[in-house]
Amino acid sequence: STLLIMFAADQTGVPLAPHPSVTQAPAKSKPTPGQIGGPLPASAVVIGKQAVSLSKITATKPAVLALVPVDCACASALRQLGAQAARAHVPVYLVGTGAAVKQLPALAAQAGQDTKQVAEDTGNVLGLTYRSQKLTAVLVRPGGTVTFVARQVAPQLGPQLASELRQLSPA
């Protein structure tokens, strides 16, 4: 009976405290939409007068979303970004909102970009997510995962962006 009492004494239902040398790893949280490693925000852009979801644009292929601010004197930076993206077989979408949308077709032509890939972010979702005041490039892997965000894109960022672009596409 002494053995039964001894074994039954620890059957209180209270969980045992962890051993002091054992630590539990903190639960990893998923990145929020827009963060590196997370999905693009759930939104749509207007391309050629047709609303297209961001998830559809990036469902099967990588993409660069170039967020263009108003009065962007960035044709040379866009030209270089477009050339690097073309070498990596990654399409570039010029995205603007509000007054910036009017300048995008001319800017695309100056930069040698396809004017069919000019997009309007009507809700400014991308602008608010990335707080872009300067030319910003959001690199997105097939499936919609954000892999890199380059703020204040300028020609001197060329080598770093080229490397990041090559990692987007298996081609």
Side-chain angles (χ1 to χ4, degrees):
S1 69
T2 304
L3 284 175
L4 286 174
I5 292 172
M6 215 166 73
F7 287 118
D10 196 28
Q11 304 297 321
T12 60
V14 177
L16 297 174
H19 190 273
S21 66
V22 176
T23 58
Q24 294 178 340
K28 290 185 178 180
S29 62
K30 288 185 175 183
T32 60
Q35 288 183 334
I36 293 175
L40 279 171
S43 183
V45 293
V46 176
I47 300 175
K49 298 183 182 183
Q50 187 172 357
V52 181
S53 72
L54 293 174
S55 61
K56 183 175 181 180
I57 291 172
T58 60
T60 60
K61 60 186 177 199
V64 175
L65 304 176
L67 310 182
V68 181
V70 176
D71 298 328
C72 179
C74 53
S76 63
L78 283 171
R79 191 175 305 110
Q80 183 176 8
L81 176 63
Q84 291 172 346
R87 284 192 292 276
H89 307 288
V90 178
V92 176
Y93 292 86
L94 303 186
V95 183
T97 188
V101 175
K102 294 176 187 169
Q103 70 185 7
L104 291 182
L107 191 58
Q110 289 174 3
Q113 296 293 313
D114 188 352
T115 57
K116 294 177 186 169
Q117 292 176 195
V118 168
E120 179 181 5
D121 182 7
T122 56
N124 196 26
V125 173
L126 293 171
L128 293 172
T129 299
Y130 296 103
R131 295 180 177 91
S132 61
Q133 300 295 322
K134 305 276 184 176
L135 178 61
T136 300
V138 180
L139 282 59
V140 186
R141 198 177 297 281
T145 302
V146 176
T147 62
F148 189 77
V149 178
R151 291 170 175 27
Q152 299 183 12
V153 173
Q156 56 269 31
L157 286 176
Q160 182 179 10
L161 284 178
S163 172
E164 294 293 335
L165 284 162
R166 282 191 303 272
Q167 293 177 24
L168 280 181
S169 181

